[in-house]
Amino acid sequence: MAPPRFRDVSERWTPDDVWALAPDASSRKAAVKTAKPASWALRGFRAGDSGGGLAVWGECSGSGSKPYQVVVDLAAAPASRCSCPSRKFPCKHALALLYLWSENTVDPGDPPEWAAEWLARREAARERPAAEPAAPADPEAAARRLERREERVAEGLAELELWLRDQVESGLAGAPGMGYGELDSVAARLVDAQAGRLADHVRGLSGVTSLPDWPARLLTEYSLLRLLTAAYQRREHLPEPMRATVRARVGLPSSPDLSAPVRDTWHVLGRCDFPAGQVRGRRIWLRGATTGRTAMMVSFAPQGQVPETPVRVGTAVDADLAFHPAESRAVLVALHGDSAAEPPGTGADTALADWSAALAADPWCTAWPVVVADAEFVRGTPWLLADPTGAALPLRQDCCPPLTAAAVSGGAPVTVAGEWTPGGLRPLSVWAPDGRCVSLDPRVPAGAAGA
Amino acid sequence: MPPDSPTVPADTWSDLVSAALVGTARRSVPEPAGLPEVRRDDPALALLDRAALAAVRLRAGRVPARVEPDDPGRLPPAAPDTAPAVPAAAARRLASLLEGDLPLLREWADLAARRGMVVPTDLLPAVLNRGARDHDLGRALARVVGERGRWLAAVSSRWAYLERHTHTGEFTVEKWRAQGAENRRALLEAREPLLSPADESLLEEAMADRSSRVRGIALALLAQLPDTERGRRLADLARRHVTLRDGAVEISPPEVADPDVPAALGLSAATGTREEIREERLWALVTHAPLDCWLGRLGADPDEVAAAASAHPELLDTLANAAVVQRRPDWARALLPALFQRLSRRHHVRSSRAHALVGLLPPDDQCAWALEHAKQVSPGTRGATALLSVVECVECPWSPDLGQIVADVLIGAENSDSGLAALAHAAETRMPPELHPRIAEAARTRLGPPSDQPDRDAQRVAEILRGLAEKLRFRHEMHKEFH
């Protein structure tokens, strides 16, 4: 299989593409300051169709005597290297260089030795998985390792179940006094058992008891955890899609089925960043124009860095996606083209019926994309998103008041994409009456336990 | 799930929650009707399993809320915005400026306003929030939020300030009286561009307001109002105490016992010596008496009045004060030469009214005035210090000619010139930004060829010039983004 292509190689990026990589507002500001051509005595780029992959490099004079050497590899997901001491990624030099390039102030050429060396190493690394068979060298050993891991997870879950049982037996009334420590040690045992995702989830429960309706919320969370432990015990008897869901929810790894990519025109509905343990996660929702299939691209990056964002919200991409066996999770295999496009929407009834169907396949699901057409934002506690029939989705408390979305709508009916969650709708993007898409880029606050 | 399927009755769920709170050790597990039967030997696990069923059914069974067509929460449609949005690059620049530099943000707003362009709708909440934090900036940004911005400010009460800047609300005396002191002040302030003689009674009422801040703004506005009763009373009084006799101005401050002056000015009980009280009342009177009352008395036109008054420094200063308080550019123009001549010898421009007088002139006149004075400054010794006293009054963007002269002086200034840093600082926000390559070049040549013992002063000045060039380059980029 060919290495994944993330964008048309002949395409020069727009400044917007560049700023989408900035880890935060301050690094973007610093990059704007750094992006003066006079500071860049050396700068050049290699077009993607000239043999090697698309790459940009340059030398930026800083406060020291030696200029900073920075090179950015754009052949696949953007990666960069800079000789500056910054711990942000990409650093302001890489961003500034890309910005200059996006503004057409960088000339094509051959990379200098220091850049060529690094690019060659990356290229070699990219080729390797494609050159070798996808299967591990020793399938039997791998199967044994997986089996051992599943057993350890089973032990961890049995322990969790016992703990849940004890909580309910002695009563949840004591939960607010339990403190962070106890949940943390439960989570730590799950980490030991290699059920990392579940551990993060359990750790996030410590915030629940500070919410006004915490008894109901806590019982919901505990009962769904018990549902998961019970389902895992019975995993051999579950039908395949549900078994895959249970394995994914527990935190066992899965891989995308590269043998059967799905090609469609995928509407990129919206994106949302969420905390995931020590790292920052980003999910991007897509929906196929022909297949109607929902896809979720997930990527992670250390705090202060930007998770990979291979597609832009508000576009429709003609692409091949390979799906994981659960959670509609997908990866981009090949991108054939993209254009701005407004997705078709439904009414509020259909949106919630879709959500019910998603829950039937995955009862642990806490976010499902919905697109409401001709929708109006309505003031209230909470605010609502009403369809033309008057059926309305209440917004999540942490998304009220939705002033940016309201400003874009101007009180007119608009297409709104969002995530339906047990706590209400989280708007993700709005298409203005003139068709312009505004991505609201919400962030899930930490410790809210998903719902 | 089909829409007609039963959802979990609320009491079923709350029964389960109650049991879980108390604990299955002390409470039996409810067996809610309508849920699939769950048989477990362990009551705690039975409760959890029943709760899981109930919880998932609650989540899956959510139905939409209803909004009636006449629901008061529905937003009124915004009027269409005929003004174009700023170009995409300018919008990105705005987003990066919002948390930063105030002068740059104001310049951005001016650039957009001059082109009749508005902020893109998705940036409006951030822009309105920023404007709420700073009064003057709020006024500048109010010009570029467009129809949609005013609509949005009506949607959320946190941006009520916008109405004051854009005069969209209907002003009535009754509404004004009903407001709190802060709003009474703000509403009066917002009336400034719309003042007419019809406002005199409102302002007289405000002069008796409980709040001293309301009284203060009312006094300032009354002074700007032409043809008022109050103005005529003050003019009559003022002309009694400042007269022309045999070509010379004679000043006789009002007696302390004279009740007319404090009554007309609304002054409260005075403190100080007799002489201090008399002086203070005289200058208050001259400040608020309409300036035109001196025409035909001290001179035929403002220039003649200024010439006659120049023999009396306090009178000249007070007339200058009057021009500022009464917002009279014509009088500012007449008073400036005499005032500036006297002041520039002593370098006290900043503390005088000259600064404020220059500010009254239209931008072109400000630059022309400064240019005329700047031409007399030799670029040699202490040139930057001398020029600074002229151009620091000119707070509007500098004309190309004025910018060139300042650039010449900055580039030619000696390293020891103490005014250089302040002049460069003044130039950062006002000099035409396209001059940045000249300044950058000057910074490089200032250092000269590399040597073992770099000149500390030259390094410091080169750093100042480099900083200025950088600011100008940034502004130049910003300007280009609007083309």
Side-chain angles (χ1 to χ4, degrees):
Chain A
M1 199 194 73
R5 268 173 57 205
F6 285 84
R7 55 177 64 244
D8 188 326
V9 284
S10 66
E11 185 198 336
R12 194 182 287 272
W13 286 24
T14 69
D16 270 341
D17 296 330
V18 177
W19 299 135
L21 296 178
D24 49 43
S26 73
S27 56
R28 174 177 161 167
K29 221 171 134 184
V32 169
K33 282 192 177 164
T34 312
K36 35 186 174 170
S39 307
W40 295 82
L42 172 87
R43 52 191 199 274
F45 80 96
R46 179 175 74 187
D49 47 11
S50 67
L54 180 60
V56 193
W57 56 85
E59 286 186 356
C60 177
S61 55
S63 47
S65 57
K66 212 168 141 40
Y68 295 126
Q69 297 179 326
V70 52
V71 49
V72 189
D73 178 5
L74 296 171
S80 66
R81 198 189 64 164
C82 181
S83 58
C84 79
S86 168
R87 297 180 64 176
K88 286 195 176 171
F89 180 85
C91 68
K92 64 177 181 177
H93 303 106
L95 286 171
L97 176 66
L98 285 178
Y99 176 68
L100 288 171
W101 171 65
S102 73
E103 297 273 85
N104 268 319
T105 60
V106 174
D107 296 323
D110 289 324
E113 203 178 326
W114 53 266
E117 211 173 274
W118 182 74
L119 288 169
R121 267 207 308 279
R122 284 187 55 79
E123 217 164 307
R126 261 202 303 280
E127 298 298 333
R128 216 168 296 134
E132 290 167 15
D138 181 353
E140 275 176 39
R144 274 201 305 278
R145 270 201 305 278
L146 189 60
E147 203 176 316
R148 266 206 304 280
R149 179 164 179 185
E150 291 198 11
E151 279 162 21
R152 291 184 64 179
V153 168
E155 287 162 20
L157 290 191
E159 229 179 300
L160 172 65
E161 188 176 284
L162 197 60
W163 182 83
L164 291 168
R165 195 208 147 272
D166 291 347
Q167 299 305 305
V168 174
E169 182 172 59
S170 57
L172 301 184
M178 186 166 63
Y180 179 76
E182 179 162 352
L183 275 175
D184 206 42
S185 63
V186 175
R189 286 199 294 278
L190 287 169
V191 171
D192 291 343
Q194 294 189 301
R197 185 171 174 192
L198 208 49
D200 287 341
H201 185 82
V202 168
R203 217 175 262 123
L205 293 180
S206 61
V208 170
T209 51
S210 59
L211 299 169
D213 54 346
W214 66 265
R217 282 175 188 257
L218 205 57
L219 180 60
T220 303
E221 294 293 344
Y222 283 1
S223 66
L224 288 172
L225 282 172
R226 152 68 183 167
L227 184 63
L228 189 57
T229 61
Y232 189 79
Q233 282 159 21
R234 297 186 53 239
R235 64 190 181 281
E236 298 311 327
H237 310 287
L238 296 175
E240 180 43 51
M242 183 57 85
R243 180 161 62 214
T245 299
V246 169
R247 290 171 51 94
R249 288 288 168 191
V250 164
L252 286 169
S254 66
S255 22
D257 182 1
L258 295 169
S259 67
V262 180
R263 183 166 180 176
D264 200 344
T265 300
W266 301 91
H267 285 283
V268 186
L269 303 179
R271 70 174 206 221
C272 178
D273 284 5
F274 58 94
Q278 300 305 303
V279 301
R280 170 176 163 196
R282 170 170 293 177
R283 56 177 174 253
I284 304 175
W285 293 104
L286 302 94
R287 191 159 280 155
T290 311
T291 59
R293 198 161 168 179
T294 297
M296 176 181 70
M297 288 182 181
V298 182
S299 53
F300 298 94
Q303 296 293 348
Q305 301 184 13
V306 174
E308 186 183 299
T309 310
V311 290
R312 210 188 311 171
V313 174
T315 59
V317 294
D318 174 8
D320 296 342
L321 300 188
F323 281 81
H324 285 254
E327 297 183 277
S328 306
R329 201 172 158 183
V331 296
L332 185 61
V333 176
L335 185 66
H336 307 288
D338 63 348
S339 58
E342 191 167 332
T346 66
D349 283 307
T350 309
L352 287 183
D354 285 354
W355 154 256
S356 302
L359 272 190
D362 176 359
W364 301 278
C365 176
T366 53
W368 189 251
V370 298
V371 183
V372 184
D374 301 317
E376 288 183 45
F377 288 94
V378 179
R379 262 176 301 191
T381 313
W383 281 58
L384 300 154
L385 185 72
D387 73 13
T389 70
L393 302 177
L395 265 58
R396 291 177 60 88
Q397 222 161 35
D398 57 10
C399 298
C400 288
L403 290 170
T404 302
V408 172
S409 81
V414 288
T415 298
V416 177
E419 283 175 348
W420 177 257
T421 75
L425 183 72
R426 173 184 291 124
L428 300 180
S429 28
V430 184
W431 281 261
D434 66 3
R436 187 173 70 109
C437 175
V438 171
S439 175
L440 303 169
D441 299 343
R443 283 181 179 212
V444 177
Chain B
M1 175 177 294
D4 58 348
S5 70
T7 51
V8 184
D11 57 340
T12 301
W13 175 242
S14 55
D15 287 348
L16 288 166
V17 174
S18 309
L21 266 176
V22 176
T24 52
R26 271 161 288 175
R27 175 83 59 93
S28 63
V29 183
E31 259 182 279
L35 282 178
E37 197 184 16
V38 175
R39 293 218 160 272
R40 295 277 181 272
D41 296 336
D42 185 332
L45 291 182
L47 175 72
L48 282 169
D49 287 348
R50 285 172 193 164
L53 284 167
V56 175
R57 281 182 64 170
L58 264 180
R59 285 184 174 182
R62 279 295 288 268
V63 291
R66 297 288 318 170
V67 178
E68 297 309 319
D70 57 352
D71 188 294
R74 284 194 185 266
L75 305 178
D81 233 321
T82 47
V86 299
R92 282 194 294 273
R93 177 81 59 175
L94 172 63
S96 72
L97 288 177
L98 277 171
E99 288 311 311
D101 219 327
L102 193 70
L104 285 173
L105 201 47
R106 197 175 313 198
E107 184 170 12
W108 189 98
D110 279 344
L111 287 167
R114 252 185 280 155
R115 289 164 177 77
M117 291 175 169
V118 295
V119 167
T121 52
D122 53 311
L123 288 176
L124 282 172
V127 165
L128 290 171
N129 280 340
R130 186 72 177 86
R133 272 155 47 193
D134 184 291
H135 179 82
D136 284 347
L137 182 66
R139 186 161 17 200
L141 291 173
R143 295 154 63 208
V144 293
V145 296
E147 198 58 55
R148 185 65 57 87
R150 290 185 282 280
W151 174 88
L152 189 63
V155 166
S156 174
S157 56
R158 67 177 85 175
W159 300 317
Y161 77 93
L162 195 72
E163 194 185 304
R164 300 203 295 265
H165 290 311
T166 51
H167 323 296
T168 45
E170 193 200 351
F171 184 92
T172 66
V173 177
E174 290 70 32
K175 247 167 98 178
W176 175 78
R177 278 192 200 120
Q179 300 286 322
E182 178 52 32
N183 272 347
R184 286 203 303 280
R185 187 198 64 77
L187 282 170
L188 280 187
E189 196 172 51
R191 293 288 298 163
E192 184 175 334
L194 311 167
L195 276 184
S196 79
D199 287 313
E200 187 177 1
S201 63
L202 165 71
L203 293 176
E204 286 289 359
E205 182 182 336
M207 285 286 286
D209 201 277
R210 289 188 304 280
S211 153
S212 63
R213 297 186 69 202
V214 174
R215 293 200 299 273
I217 188 85
L219 180 64
L221 293 181
L222 264 177
Q224 294 176 41
L225 211 52
D227 296 327
T228 60
E229 266 311 308
R230 172 189 156 87
R232 278 187 283 279
R233 278 199 308 276
L234 294 174
D236 285 344
L237 275 171
R239 286 187 299 221
R240 275 188 227 161
H241 298 285
V242 181
T243 52
L244 194 68
R245 186 163 299 170
D246 304 329
V249 171
E250 269 195 14
I251 297 172
S252 55
E255 293 300 330
V256 172
D258 180 351
D260 292 351
V261 175
L265 287 168
L267 292 178
S268 48
T271 55
T273 66
R274 269 180 88 75
E275 283 313 303
E276 280 167 358
I277 293 171
R278 291 183 65 193
E279 291 274 312
E280 195 186 310
R281 288 190 177 162
L282 175 69
W283 301 135
L285 187 57
V286 174
T287 299
H288 286 97
L291 277 163
D292 289 349
C293 78
W294 307 114
L295 299 180
R297 300 292 176 121
L298 301 183
D301 58 27
D303 289 331
E304 280 189 28
V305 174
S310 54
H312 296 269
E314 291 91 345
L315 179 60
L316 191 65
D317 280 345
T318 310
L319 289 174
N321 206 29
V324 173
V325 168
Q326 299 175 31
R327 304 272 198 281
R328 295 294 300 267
D330 50 342
W331 280 89
R333 205 172 281 119
L335 291 162
L336 261 173
L339 204 69
F340 193 74
Q341 197 179 22
R342 191 158 58 78
L343 288 164
S344 57
R345 285 197 298 271
R346 289 186 273 144
H347 303 301
H348 283 166
V349 178
R350 196 187 278 278
S351 59
S352 82
R353 297 308 269 175
H355 201 115
L357 282 186
V358 172
L360 284 179
L361 304 178
D364 285 352
D365 291 7
Q366 291 188 36
C367 292
W369 174 86
L371 193 62
E372 197 183 309
H373 287 272
K375 279 177 182 158
Q376 294 154 20
V377 172
S378 60
T381 318
R382 304 190 52 73
T385 307
L387 188 60
L388 177 65
S389 69
V390 177
V391 296
E392 71 178 344
C393 305
V394 184
E395 291 192 10
C396 62
W398 294 343
S399 64
D401 289 347
L402 184 58
Q404 286 291 353
I405 286 201
V406 177
D408 290 344
V409 169
L410 278 172
I411 291 165
E414 291 176 0
N415 289 337
S416 59
D417 194 332
S418 61
L420 196 142
L423 185 61
H425 182 71
E428 278 181 1
T429 52
R430 315 179 204 173
M431 182 180 267
E434 53 276 12
L435 288 170
H436 72 89
R438 264 196 81 191
I439 305 288
E441 175 62 29
R444 278 191 292 275
T445 48
R446 177 75 56 156
L447 276 178
S451 65
D452 296 342
Q453 281 192 312
D455 179 345
R456 297 280 295 274
D457 270 349
Q459 271 186 334
R460 184 182 59 84
V461 170
E463 201 44 58
I464 290 170
L465 292 177
R466 194 157 45 220
L468 171 59
E470 186 43 44
K471 278 265 165 48
L472 294 176
R473 191 196 64 82
F474 185 92
R475 286 177 50 221
H476 193 212
E477 297 289 319
M478 185 165 95
H479 283 231
K480 283 193 295 187
E481 284 160 0
F482 278 93
H483 294 311

